[in-house]
């Protein structure tokens, strides 16, 4: 899931299609995990994994938003804002996940768990002592933040040399090329002898695609291909309905088509501001991070109910999805939003003059275009 940057210029135009897609992507991931295999839970959709592509959409969104809204930041300001935006909520929920694992017997107290928590909190990929044979953080959805934070590091390097587009594309391309040599299959979690080699996975190309798309948008080079938005979703459905091979690569391709269509729609139409859909995008980060904990508890409670078969699955899917959204919104309003605003205001007060000067260096022909304060 990809957090983004709030608009700082009053003249900024909000990319509503991206904001909406962020919310849609978070719901896709929730539904994907609801239909994951689970002992004693009936699941007719076990092999239909379309929702996993929500992560691919998040990654491309991140590339677009970082280039569009942060390409003129200084490295220190960019890194600080990214850390404030991503880390505090993730740290809180990582501790919650560790507590749930201890209470449920899924983990034992000791050095191994403490090490998992520490490395997870620092966004360092590691072989998990909790989930045997995997490179997995304590809070499961946090695996995407491994990629996200690494992308931010690459983008920060690009900002340092004042060439975020060129350097980001170059480094990502080199990493993926390296992956062609060291990777054994498409698995993110099981195919690497060293956890850091997961950064050579083709998923990194989705951030690069987002950067290029952001550049094209700012330079007015997006053709009127908004139909790619629905076409991308139809293709994504077909990929998983037909169980086509290489789903990771096809997910990325479909996500790219969706994003190109979404950005093209911004150039082609006046996008209507739909309040509830924009709010879903705002809360998407909280929904994304909390839904694993919600489902962890909800599954165990639900399996105690005397229902089976399709009735069991349908009622579980509806109630679990509702509970995940409710918990996500509560955390967004009560924890994420006030905490992020407070930390951000304190941080920006220190760099206010520097950011104003950076803003003045931005050519008038590329006025800032951002998305709203987000929530994958």
């Amino acid at each position: 899931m990809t957090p983004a940057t709030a608009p700082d210029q009053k003249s900024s135009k909000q990319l509503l299609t991206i904001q909406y897609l962020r919310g849609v992507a978070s719901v896709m991931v929730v539904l994907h995990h609801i239909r994951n295999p689970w002992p004693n839970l009936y699941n007719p959709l076990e092999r239909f994994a379309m929702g996993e592509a929500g992560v691919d959409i998040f990654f491309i969104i991140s590339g677009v938003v970082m280039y569009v809204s942060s390409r003129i930041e200084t490295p220190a300001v960019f890194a600080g804002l990214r850390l404030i935006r991503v880390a505090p909520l993730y740290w809180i929920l990582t501790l919650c996940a560790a507590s749930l694992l201890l209470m449920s017997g899924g983990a034992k107290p000791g050095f191994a768990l403490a090490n998992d928590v520490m490395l997870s909190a620092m966004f360092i990929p590691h072989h998990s002592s909790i989930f045997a044979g995997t490179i997995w953080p304590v809070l499961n959805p946090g695996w995407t933040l491994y990629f996200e934070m690494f992308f931010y590091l690459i983008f920060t390097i690009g900002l340092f040399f004042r060439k975020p587009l060129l350097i980001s594309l170059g480094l990502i391309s080199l990493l993926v090329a390296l992956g062609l040599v060291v990777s054994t299959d498409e698995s993110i979690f099981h195919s690497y002898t060293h956890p850091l080699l997961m950064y050579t996975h083709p998923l990194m190309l989705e951030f690069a695609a987002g950067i290029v798309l952001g550049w094209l948008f700012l330079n007015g080079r997006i053709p009127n291909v908004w139909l790619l938005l629905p076409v991308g979703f139809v293709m994504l459905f077909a990929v998983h309905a037909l169980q086509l091979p290489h789903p990771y690569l096809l997910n990325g391709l479909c996500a790219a088509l969706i994003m190109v269509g979404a950005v093209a729609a911004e150039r082609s139409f006046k996008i209507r501001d739909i309040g509830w859909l924009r709010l879903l995008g705002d809360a998407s980060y909280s929904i994304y991070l909390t839904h694993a904990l919600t489902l962890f508890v909800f599954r165990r409670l639900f399996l105690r109910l005397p229902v089976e078969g399709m009735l069991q699955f349908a009622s579980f899917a509806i109630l679990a999805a509702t509970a995940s959204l409710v918990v996500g919104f509560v955390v967004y309003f009560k924890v994420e939003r006030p905490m992020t605003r407070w930390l951000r205001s304190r941080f920006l007060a220190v760099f206010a003059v520097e950011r104003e000067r950076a803003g003045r260096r931005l050519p008038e022909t590329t006025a800032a275009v951002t998305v709203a304060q987000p929530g994958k």
Side-chain angles (χ1 to χ4, degrees), residues 21 41 49 63 87 98 115 119 134 145 165 171 184 193 202 259 265 280 295 298 302 306 322 327 357 367-368:
L21 278 177
L41 184 64
N115 185 61
L119 293 176
T134 65
L145 297 184
L165 177 66
L171 289 177
T184 59
T193 55
M259 288 302 303
L280 184 64
L295 294 181
F298 203 80
F302 196 85
T322 302
V327 171
R357 290 173 179 171

Side-chain angles (χ1 to χ4, degrees), residues 213-294:
L213 186 54
W215 181 86
L216 291 172
F217 178 78
L218 287 177
N219 287 275
R221 298 187 180 184
I222 297 291
N224 186 20
V225 290
W226 61 268
L227 277 174
L228 289 180
L229 175 59
V231 167
F233 275 111
V234 171
M235 288 180 59
L236 184 61
F237 178 86
V239 165
H240 292 277
L242 300 175
Q243 297 293 301
L244 298 181
H246 308 297
Y248 281 124
L249 297 179
L250 293 175
N251 284 346
L253 174 61
C254 292
L257 293 178
I258 290 168
M259 288 302 303
V260 170
V263 174
E266 293 283 348
R267 292 293 192 193
S268 304
F269 306 105
K270 178 177 175 57
I271 305 299
R272 180 185 172 190
D273 189 346
I274 305 173
W276 67 268
L277 197 51
R278 178 161 43 83
L279 181 59
L280 184 64
D282 289 339
S284 60
Y285 187 50
S286 287
I287 293 170
Y288 178 76
L289 287 186
T290 59
H291 84 276
L293 302 180
T294 304

Side-chain angles (χ1 to χ4, degrees), residues 176-188:
V176 175
L178 175 63
L180 296 176
V181 178
V182 301
S183 300
T184 59
D185 58 31
E186 286 190 337
S187 173
I188 299 174

